[in-house]
Amino acid sequence: MLLGVNIDHVATLRNARGGAEPSVTEAAKVAEANGATSITTHLREDRRHIKDEDVYALPKIMKTRLNLEMAMAEDIQRIALEVKPYSICLVPEKRQEVTTEGGLDVAGQLERVTEFIKPLLDAGIIVSLFIDPDENQVKASAKTGAQFIEMHTGTYSEAYGSENEEKEFLNLKNSAKLAQSLGLKVNAGHGLNYENVKRMHEIPGLVELNIGHSIISRAVFTGLGSAVKEMNDLIK
Ligand code: PXP
């Protein structure tokens, strides 16, 4: 399994003082040097952490792949078409939420999702859909033309260590299997940490895990390089 590191919260910290520190580009370099195979940033509609200029700056200094998380917003689609990241991951977005809550409802808006991602696919950008591990969402995703899904691991992560863990884990495992049988490649992320990530090895064929908050939190104590390396050692 590969490790995608989400560096949004480096920008959260930077924006707390409105200056240039800590540097998002520097964070990407350190993450790459310590085993990250891609760097993820979410350009939110309210620009609360990553800013437009970060998205333009990152590909200039990066050695690995840029994965841009984005909602179905036309102005952000325009930026994606200009920057041409390696991949985008389509996420739902509510302004009030603290972080992405729940997966994208692909089944309920199949036509809209298919139309929205078409220009991105035509531009050669890999498209991933962030969905809950749910049969209907997986089946709908396979009809859109997207090459990947990213399974939302938030519910599993919250259930970890409780009586619901097994049920939530099985949802992930079964959804991954279904998606793969329909020709989709499967990533996973959200809420993964140094403990609950270990079970991801039990899901055959997962390509990449996208992890942010737990790595940046550990980095406060250990430094970013060591936090990324430790996570990479757990998943590779
Ligand atoms: N994947 C997606 C689609 C996300 O929206 C996020 C959060 O921005 C993550 C992964 C990373 O989640 P976390 O910060 O909880 O590791």
Side-chain angles (χ1 to χ4, degrees), residues 6 8-9 40 42 44 49 69 89-91 99-100 130 150 188-192 210-215:
N6 180 316
D8 290 347
H9 294 309
T40 294
H42 183 176
R44 293 188 70 97
H49 38 56
E69 283 179 20
C89 180
L90 209 58
V91 300
T99 180
T100 314
F130 185 56
E150 179 171 327
H190 209 285
L192 294 174
N210 284 315
I211 308 180
H213 190 264
S214 65
I215 292 177

